């Protein structure tokens, strides 16, 4: 019998229906939808313009305040491909990661809590607020990368003068998907300091050394990775040949384990020098990018995504992508991905785009939504 006739035959359809009420399903019906020959993620390539995010954060200023309940003034990136997906009822940014923009105003306090998700913050605007993670007040400046390891108390408070905005990324969808969510509010509004301010950045010299007493820390020992040190690292790297896909790129590491900064999330800062034209490749991990500085475009599965400072975009799993800096200044992209998850489950694979000298043919241009 022909394959399609088989699926449509009365006998098969009757049988499929007859087992449904016993909470049973026919594998022959499910297999083509579930076991693809290669990744067919529901995550789609998408780009959010900074103008839109900023306008909505400004509107949210008066609608949400930390005093009105809720935890954070954060607006998260909903991947259109992941909307209305069972069993979520909410959309994440990729199938494993959630990203958001968070705004805190001078005088505000976002209460302390702890949870089993790991969090990172990348600071994009302002100064003067601190995040307090397990008793350490970490004062934040533009370009800093902060870790909030799973299970540690953390809250934010703004003692400065200007609004502060940062990117959050957490493994919320992954932890939700495997049924591992725990969340606990701190008994008081915000945890009081128990160690000196900026304790870990000072004691670890940005990750280069560790104090004699900290030989076996249980958690990532470094809470903030300062922009000045990241910039220095990129400048050092820039004396050499760029990576053909990613230009000059460094990964944030946990200095005690020499692994990724977070167990389920890897993060990078990359510099694409003026005129950089990257080659295309693809990998099983999915990435979320934030344009920290500069402008250019990325081609994702043949579609051109033009980006400029402040924008966010998603490169789905197994999607061909290449980056190009079209401006006359260096471009800096912050990105994070679920590469550590792919590595742990033996799913990490990558592939170079061999045709056309590594350059995709552009078939379409993405039109972003503006406020
Ligand atoms: O700032 O602690 O975007 O707990 C989502 C969950 C931010 C935070 C988010 C969080 C936080």
């Amino acid at each position: 019998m022909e394959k399609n006739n088989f699926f449509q035959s009365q006998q098969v359809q009757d049988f499929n229906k007859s087992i449904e009420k016993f909470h049973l399903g026919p594998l022959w019906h499910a297999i083509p939808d579930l076991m693809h020959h290669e990744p067919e993620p529901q995550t789609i390539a998408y780009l959010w313009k900074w103008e839109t995010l900023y306008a909505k954060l400004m509107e949210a200023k008066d609608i949400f305040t930390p005093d009105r309940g809720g935890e954070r003034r954060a607006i998260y990136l909903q991947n259109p491909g992941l909307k209305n997906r069972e069993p979520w009822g909410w959309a994440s940014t990729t199938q494993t990661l959630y990203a958001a923009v968070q705004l805190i105003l001078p005088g505000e306090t976002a209460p302390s809590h702890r949870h089993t998700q790991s969090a990172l913050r990348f600071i994009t605007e302002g100064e003067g607020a601190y995040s307090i993670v397990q008793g350490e007040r970490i004062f934040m400046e533009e370009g800093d990368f902060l870790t909030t390891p799973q299970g540690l108390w953390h809250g934010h408070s703004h003692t400065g003068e200007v609004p502060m905005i940062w990117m959050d990324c957490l493994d919320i969808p992954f932890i939700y998907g495997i049924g591992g969510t725990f969340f606990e509010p701190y008994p008081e509004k915000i945890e009081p300091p128990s160690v000196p301010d900026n304790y870990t950045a000072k004691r670890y010299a940005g990750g280069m050394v560790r104090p004699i007493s900290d030989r076996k820390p249980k958690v990532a020992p470094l809470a903030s990775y300062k922009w000045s040190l990241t910039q220095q690292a990129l400048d050092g790297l820039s004396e050499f040949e760029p990576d053909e896909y990613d230009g000059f790129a460094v990964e944030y590491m946990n200095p005690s384990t020499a692994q990724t900064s977070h167990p389920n999330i890897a993060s990078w800062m990359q510099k694409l020098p003026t005129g950089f034209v990257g080659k295309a490749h693809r990998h099983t991990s999915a990435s979320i990018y934030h344009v920290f500085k500069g402008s250019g475009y990325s081609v994702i599965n043949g579609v051109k995504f033009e980006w400029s400072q402040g924008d966010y975009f998603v490169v789905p799993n197994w999607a061909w992508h290449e980056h190009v800096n079209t401006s006359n200044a260096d471009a800096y992209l912050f990105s994070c991905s679920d590469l550590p998850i792919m590595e742990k489950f033996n799913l990490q694979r990558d592939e170079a785009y061999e045709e056309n000298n590594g350059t995709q043919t552009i078939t379409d241009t993405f039109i972003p939504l503006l406020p």
Side-chain angles (χ1 to χ4, degrees):
M1 193 188 277
E2 285 276 320
K3 203 169 144 199
N4 282 348
N5 290 343
F6 164 77
F7 284 119
Q8 277 149 23
S9 78
Q10 202 55 51
Q11 188 190 19
V12 168
Q13 291 201 15
D14 288 349
F15 180 81
N16 290 354
K17 195 92 203 119
S18 81
I19 62 175
E20 210 177 282
K21 68 168 183 274
F22 299 103
H23 307 292
L24 298 169
L27 174 65
W28 51 84
H29 187 66
I31 226 171
D33 288 335
L34 295 179
M35 298 175 73
H36 304 136
H37 294 260
E38 56 175 42
E40 289 184 26
Q42 292 93 61
T43 303
I44 64 163
Y46 198 74
L47 182 143
W48 294 263
K49 288 302 289 178
W50 176 239
E51 291 90 310
T52 309
L53 296 169
Y54 187 77
K56 290 298 162 191
L57 275 178
M58 290 303 127
E59 276 180 47
K61 259 200 312 207
D62 306 320
I63 293 166
F64 170 91
T65 67
D67 296 336
R68 283 189 198 145
E71 299 283 323
R72 309 289 188 252
R73 190 189 287 101
I75 298 180
Y76 66 92
L77 308 179
Q78 294 197 328
N79 192 292
L82 300 175
K83 282 193 160 175
N84 307 318
R85 193 171 59 130
E86 296 296 334
W88 302 89
W90 66 284
S92 53
T93 314
T94 73
Q95 280 156 245
T96 49
L97 301 181
Y98 150 107
V101 284
Q102 180 167 170
L103 166 69
I104 186 164
L105 300 173
E108 286 183 341
T109 291
S112 291
H113 62 210
R114 64 181 177 188
H115 41 67
T116 43
Q117 295 86 354
S118 309
L120 66 85
R121 287 168 234 298
F122 182 74
I123 315 306
T124 56
E125 217 170 287
E127 56 174 6
Y130 67 82
S131 185
I132 179 157
V133 181
Q134 206 73 7
E136 177 188 352
R137 296 204 304 174
I138 304 143
F139 282 85
M140 301 179 270
E141 296 174 301
E142 283 175 20
D144 290 356
F145 171 77
L146 271 78
T147 56
T148 303
Q150 64 179 166
L152 300 193
W153 295 116
H154 60 282
H156 319 298
S157 191
H158 202 336
T159 49
E161 310 291 328
V162 289
M164 273 204 75
I165 300 174
W166 62 74
M167 169 189 186
D168 293 315
C169 180
L170 293 90
D171 50 4
I172 297 175
F174 178 66
I175 300 291
Y176 183 97
I178 61 172
T181 297
F182 288 89
F183 178 96
E184 198 184 344
Y186 192 71
E188 293 145 44
K189 187 164 182 185
I190 188 144
E191 191 196 0
S194 56
V195 295
D197 292 347
N198 304 314
Y199 184 69
T200 58
K202 286 182 189 158
R203 280 165 63 84
Y204 284 82
M208 187 180 75
V209 294
R210 58 186 170 195
I212 194 162
S213 56
D214 288 10
R215 205 169 163 80
K216 288 181 183 163
K218 288 194 191 67
V219 296
L222 194 60
S224 75
Y225 298 62
K226 300 300 289 177
W227 172 243
S228 56
L229 293 176
T230 310
Q231 174 89 69
Q232 249 179 51
L234 290 174
D235 288 346
L237 202 58
S238 304
E239 291 175 22
F240 306 94
E241 282 302 301
D243 179 84
E244 59 181 346
Y245 307 111
D246 289 308
F248 302 107
V250 291
E251 182 179 348
Y252 298 93
M253 287 169 61
N254 174 338
S256 330
T257 60
Q259 304 288 321
T260 49
S261 58
H262 295 72
N264 299 325
I265 314 171
S267 304
W268 296 266
M269 174 55 71
Q270 73 191 82
K271 173 171 134 182
L272 307 177
T274 305
F276 178 80
V277 179
K279 289 193 169 186
H281 70 162
R282 64 180 177 180
H283 36 69
T284 46
S285 51
S287 312
I288 305 166
Y289 284 83
H290 166 69
V291 184
F292 182 48
K293 290 173 201 278
S295 58
Y297 68 86
S298 299
V299 184
I300 310 172
N301 280 341
V303 180
K304 184 177 186 183
F305 287 76
E306 288 162 319
W307 42 255
S308 55
Q309 186 167 330
D311 295 350
Y312 287 78
F313 62 95
V314 166
V315 175
N317 321 69
W318 212 231
W320 295 114
H321 59 285
E322 74 217 46
H323 307 297
V324 178
N325 179 357
T326 49
S327 74
N328 49 18
D330 293 337
Y332 290 86
L333 302 179
F334 172 81
S335 66
C336 48
S337 91
D338 57 2
L339 175 61
I341 298 175
M342 295 302 172
E343 286 177 334
K344 278 183 196 113
F345 294 100
N346 290 330
L347 297 168
Q348 199 283 325
R349 284 198 211 182
D350 49 60
E351 205 169 270
Y353 189 80
E354 303 288 1
E355 289 159 49
N356 198 23
N357 203 22
T359 305
Q360 296 178 73
T361 304
I362 296 174
T363 54
D364 206 355
T365 299
F366 177 80
I367 313 273
L369 291 174
L370 288 167

